[in-house]
Amino acid sequence: MAACKCVFNVTLGYGRKALFSAVARNVNVRGLSSCSIFTKYVSRRPIPLRLPFRWYSTSNSSVQTGSPKVQGLADEILKKQISESANKEAASNEGESEEDRKKRESSWKALKYTFLVFGVSFSAIGIYMLVEWGAPRRDENGEVIHDEFSDMPLLQQYFLRMLQEINYYKKMIRDPSRDKLLPDPLEEPYYQPPYTLVLEMTGLLVHPDWTYQTGWRFKKRPGVDFFLTQVAPPLFEVVVYTAELGFTAFPILDALDPNGCIAYRLVRDATRYVDGHHIKDLDCLNRDLKKVIVVDCNPNSVKMHSRNAILLPKWQGNDDDRSLVDLAFFLKTIATSQVADVREVLDFYHKFDNPLEAFKENQRKLQEQQEEMQKIQKKQQESRSSLTGSWAPNFLRKT
């Protein structure tokens, strides 16, 4: 049998599959139908193939692979495309790495300069503190005052005096500004109210509001005037104790209390700073804690004396609020009852989520009981009067 050889014109496609458009051209005189590979295909039909591929003939010759020229051409095309793509990627990576390297160098240089500036600044501040705060104190005549560090080496003296000053300023920030925040209770012939009422300003008496047009404004809570007049002396000694700064709190309190119901004002310097919170230390009030009630809306502010506290929800600025009216009746009831230790009463109301609602419910029940007792007493009086009226004529009749 004569060999039937097939010659392929190869066209390389794109993508992961290599698409080859093969055109068969029969060089045998027997025609295209005698070629076993293309018996089912028409002439010039594209055939998709995958690399690597082999071409076979119908002869028994020893040639088993495709044409080396064609295969070499395909390999060269593939290698050329792969090398071009690799060169492009290498170029892009080289460009990116060069740009990244420049950015990294600039950022590292800026970081070094920043550390250098901070190092020089802190060193200068440390030297200034050591020289200024560590120097021995002098009297009005310029003589050195002998202290507990005077007999130590010079450098140690300066260092220990500087630490003493640092601890002093830390204590100023952390502790209240004085041991007794309030003066001693008044004595005869002056009148001292039996109870002390400590109030928070922000969230209890006023609500802060901020807008772009007006800035910060403080809205007055409904019922403030009624509340202050009800708890003012002779029932309570009213103290405003807030974490606000003095230049913020004093103008607000001046407008809030024109009648002078508030006896004392304590601001942020009177608080104790612990764990990021300004805490109201009632031990520094110079008052008997059995007669002190603090009203607040922040539990962290009164966590050192929670038994003396009445916690209310923070007022959000709504105009239909009447909590201060209920609070006034609650406090007035405690004061008029002459309670020996207010903490015992407050311990009972701490069981409820809303102490004022619980107090109102107890007052309602008490009022119902009083009305019921009045009805019973009235019936007893009517029965006694009827018995007396029926007994008197009979007695007169017998006599």
Side-chain angles (χ1 to χ4, degrees), residues 174-186:
R174 184 181 64 247
D175 297 340
S177 57
R178 50 199 182 275
D179 295 333
K180 293 183 179 181
L181 298 177
L182 299 180
D184 294 334
L186 299 175

Side-chain angles (χ1 to χ4, degrees), residues 266-325:
L266 302 176
V267 290
R268 180 174 295 182
D269 69 301
T271 60
R272 187 178 298 278
Y273 190 74
V274 180
D275 297 333
H277 300 286
H278 293 278
I279 299 176
K280 300 172 183 178
D281 191 355
L282 302 184
D283 291 327
C284 299
L285 284 181
N286 194 25
R287 295 292 184 269
D288 185 8
L289 293 183
K290 294 181 180 179
K291 303 297 180 67
V292 175
I293 300 175
V294 55
V295 184
D296 208 309
C297 50
N298 184 7
N300 292 320
S301 299
V302 293
K303 61 182 180 181
M304 294 180 62
H305 302 87
S306 57
R307 292 191 62 195
N308 294 83
I310 301 174
L311 292 176
L312 298 180
K314 191 173 183 180
W315 181 51
Q316 301 299 330
N318 51 312
D319 295 330
D320 58 347
D321 181 82
R322 53 167 289 120
S323 298
L324 290 182
V325 177

